[in-house]
Amino acid sequence: MKKMKRFDQINVIPFIDIMLVLLVMVLTTATFIKQGVIPVDLPDAKAKVPLEQSEEINLYITKTGELYIDKELITLAELEKRILSQSGQSVVLRSDKGAAFEHFVAVMELLKRLEHEQLFIVTKE
C-alpha cells in the first residue's frame, strides 16, 4: 500500500485564476447608468422597465419644486413650449422623492393636456 502524502499548504493559484476570470466577466457585462446632472433623490420602485435610448427631454423636479431640463431652470409654460416644439421626443422625468406631489401632478396634467404619451419616470431599484 502506498502512503498518502501530507499537504501542509493549499495551492491558491487556481482559485485566484477563477476569481480573476469572474471579475473580468462582471466588469465587461456590467452596465453603468448615466445619472442626471441635477441632484435629485429618486424614490424606490419594485417594477422596472428598461429605458430605450432615443431623443429625449430630461426633466427634473427638485425637492423645492423647481423644474429643470438638463441644467436649465424652466417654468411650466416654458416646458409646454418645449414639448410642443419637440413633440416626437420622450420625456424622462426624475422627481425628488421629497418634492411636493403637486409639482408631479402639474407636470402630469400638462402632458395629459398636450396628449403627450411618451413619458418615463426614473426611480431607484
Side-chain angles (χ1 to χ4, degrees):
M1 213 188 254
K2 198 173 188 183
K3 260 187 170 176
M4 301 237 355
K5 194 190 231 184
R6 183 174 171 193
F7 291 104
D8 289 333
Q9 37 185 311
I10 296 174
N11 186 5
V12 294
I13 301 295
F15 176 72
I16 293 172
D17 289 343
I18 290 171
M19 294 308 290
L20 286 174
V21 168
L22 288 174
L23 178 65
V24 167
M25 289 170 58
V26 166
L27 290 177
T28 56
T29 59
T31 58
F32 299 99
I33 300 173
K34 175 185 157 195
Q35 285 296 322
V37 291
I38 304 297
V40 290
D41 190 12
L42 298 173
D44 297 330
K46 295 192 188 312
K48 59 183 177 179
V49 177
L51 179 64
E52 296 177 15
Q53 293 297 328
S54 64
E55 293 296 319
E56 56 195 27
I57 299 171
N58 290 300
L59 179 63
Y60 301 90
I61 302 175
T62 64
K63 191 172 190 172
T64 58
E66 296 173 317
L67 293 175
Y68 286 88
I69 290 184
D70 295 323
K71 293 182 180 181
E72 178 187 350
L73 180 64
I74 62 164
T75 64
L76 271 176
E78 293 170 333
L79 175 61
E80 182 175 358
K81 290 177 188 174
R82 184 78 61 100
I83 290 173
L84 286 173
S85 68
Q86 301 170 347
S87 61
Q89 293 183 338
S90 312
V91 174
V92 179
L93 176 61
R94 292 174 176 89
S95 178
D96 193 292
K97 67 180 178 183
F101 190 62
E102 66 185 275
H103 303 295
F104 177 80
V105 170
V107 171
M108 296 302 291
E109 284 180 343
L110 172 70
L111 294 175
K112 185 176 180 180
R113 187 168 41 84
L114 297 176
E115 297 179 359
H116 189 85
E117 296 178 0
Q118 297 176 340
L119 171 69
F120 297 96
I121 300 172
V122 179
T123 58
K124 289 190 291 189
E125 285 185 40

